[in-house]
Amino acid sequence: MNTLTQFFSFLILSLATTISASNHYQLRPRLDQLQSDNELNCVSWRWAIEVDNIRNWNVVPIECESYIGHYMLGKQYRKDCDTVGLEAYKYAKSVTLKGDGKDVWVFDIDETTLSNLPYYADPSNGFGALPFNQTTFNTWVASGKALAMPGTYALYNQLLKLKYTIVLLTGRDENSRAITVSNLKNVGYHSWDKLILKGPMDHGKTAQEYKSEKRTKLVKAGYRIIGNMGDQWSDILGPNQGARTFKGEEGLLPGGPEPSALNKTKSPPMIASRGFLARSDEGGLLLACWAQGLQSAASPVVVS
C-alpha cells in the first residue's frame, strides 16, 4: 500500500510539473514576436521622453528614426491620443456644472487641438534627425493647414454639449491670431469663449510661467478651470492648473516649445525615419487614418 501511495504521489507530482512547465512555456514570448534590442531601446527612449525623464534633447536618435516614424504614422499614436480624449470625457460628464458659464475647459492648440503632423512629415524638415527650424515652422503656421486632432475634436464637441466654456490657451504669438482662428474654424472648431495668445509682455517667459499666469487671470476673473489639456507638461503644471489635468501624447515626441519658442531648451515635435514618407504616397494614407481633413466649419469631416 505504501508503494502504491508513493506511485500515485509521484504520478500527481509529475503531472503538476508538466502542467506548470506547459503554462510557464506559454508565457514566454514567441520567437517571431520578439522585438530587436534596438527597438526595445527606442520604446524606452520614447517613454522616458514622455514622462520627462530625458530633457534638453534636440533631435531623434538616429537609431530610433524608423521606430518613431512608424509609431507616429501608425495606429498606436492615434489610439493613445483617443484614449486621453475618452478619459477626459468620462471625467467631464461626471462633473455637475454651475450653469453660469464660468466652468471652463482649457485646451492647448499645437499638438492638442491642432496637429502639425503634415509639416513634420515633409522630408525637407529632417524627420527628427535635424534641428528644428523655427522659420519654416512659422511659415507652416501662417499657411493655416494644420489638421484637427480627432480625439480632441470629439472631446471638444462633447464638452460643448455638456455646456462647458471653452478657452484656448496657446504659445502662438498674437500676430498669428487671424490665421489661427481661420485654421481652427476650417477644421471644425467653431466656438470658444477665449483664444489667448502670447503678447509682447509675455516674451522671455517660459511656457509654464506664461500659461500659469494666463490661467491665474482666468481664475481671478471668476472662472473655474474644471479641465486642462495639453501635450506638454508645461501646459498643465504650475498654479491654477485646474481641477483635473490631461496630458496628451507629446505631439511627435519632442517636448518643447510651441511656435513662439517659449522654452528654447527643448525641440518641437518631430517625426523620424528619413525618406519614410518620401518613397511613396503611403504617408498621406497613414495621415488620413487619424487626421481630420481640412473642411469648412459647416461640414467638418473626420477621416478614419
Side-chain angles (χ1 to χ4, degrees), residues 13 29 52 60 143 205 216 221-222 275 302:
L13 180 61
D52 206 29
V60 173
S143 74
K205 299 174 183 176
T216 297
V302 177

Side-chain angles (χ1 to χ4, degrees), residues 30 56 70 76 99 106-107 133 141 143 153 174 222 239 251 271 299:
R30 291 174 49 183
N56 303 328
H70 280 86
Q76 192 60 54
V106 177
F107 283 107
N133 187 319
V141 169
S143 74
Y153 179 70
E174 182 62 43
I271 307 189
S299 57

Side-chain angles (χ1 to χ4, degrees), residues 88-256:
Y89 173 62
K90 290 179 181 178
Y91 161 71
K93 69 179 182 179
S94 73
V95 178
T96 301
L97 304 185
K98 300 292 185 181
D100 57 1
K102 296 291 187 178
D103 293 310
V104 166
W105 196 284
V106 177
F107 283 107
D108 169 47
I109 289 184
D110 289 290
E111 271 52 71
T112 301
T113 52
L114 293 179
S115 168
N116 299 300
L117 180 55
Y119 169 80
Y120 296 112
D122 190 310
S124 66
N125 292 313
F127 295 102
L130 297 175
F132 174 67
N133 187 319
Q134 188 70 56
T135 301
T136 60
F137 186 71
N138 288 342
T139 300
W140 159 259
V141 169
S143 74
K145 295 180 179 179
L147 305 173
M149 292 288 284
T152 306
Y153 179 70
L155 173 63
Y156 161 82
N157 283 300
Q158 291 162 338
L159 292 176
L160 288 179
K161 293 178 181 178
L162 292 171
K163 305 303 182 182
Y164 277 87
T165 294
I166 304 298
V167 171
L168 302 175
L169 174 55
T170 176
R172 292 187 176 195
D173 286 325
E174 182 62 43
N175 60 18
S176 67
R177 177 177 292 274
I179 192 61
T180 299
V181 169
S182 176
N183 197 160
L184 286 165
K185 290 189 173 182
N186 281 341
V187 297
Y189 295 102
H190 53 82
S191 177
W192 54 82
D193 187 71
K194 296 181 184 296
L195 170 58
I196 303 172
L197 297 97
K198 181 186 174 188
M201 300 300 292
D202 298 315
H203 288 279
K205 299 174 183 176
T206 66
Q208 185 172 321
E209 290 171 342
Y210 159 69
K211 293 201 170 184
S212 294
E213 287 181 8
K214 299 304 181 183
R215 291 194 307 267
T216 297
K217 287 184 178 180
L218 287 173
V219 172
K220 288 182 177 180
Y223 291 95
R224 296 175 293 275
I225 302 176
I226 307 300
N228 180 15
M229 177 181 289
D231 66 301
Q232 303 293 329
W233 287 108
S234 56
D235 296 328
I236 59 177
L237 294 179
N240 295 302
Q241 57 190 240
R244 184 167 174 186
T245 60
F246 291 87
K247 170 71 169 61
E249 281 293 303
E250 293 199 6
L252 307 181
L253 286 191

